Amino acid sequence: MTAPTREDVILQLDRVDTALEAPDADKAAILGQALDWLAEHPPKVAADALYYRERLQVIRERHGAA
């Protein structure tokens, strides 16, 4: 399996952000799946992994799921 491009990961995080906007969203499940996806698709550059996790944290806080 090849590492996802930065664009792939950003699109995935945008999907997570959008899914969390649904009134009936299971925030814990969506965020858990997002963390699993990131773990299963590690980037080639370690700094990118940190950036993606920080961006996911911002999404989590924005939706009150911290």
Side-chain angles (χ1 to χ4, degrees), residues 4-54:
T5 65
R6 287 180 177 143
E7 183 176 312
D8 293 337
V9 178
I10 298 303
L11 287 173
Q12 184 68 16
L13 292 174
D14 285 346
R15 289 182 192 112
V16 169
D17 196 17
T18 300
L20 290 170
E21 292 175 359
D24 60 342
D26 183 346
K27 294 178 182 180
I30 293 168
L31 290 167
Q33 291 170 354
L35 284 171
D36 290 346
W37 189 89
L38 286 174
E40 293 168 4
H41 299 87
K44 292 180 183 178
V45 180
D48 286 348
L50 178 60
Y51 171 74
Y52 301 149
R53 291 195 182 276
E54 287 178 352

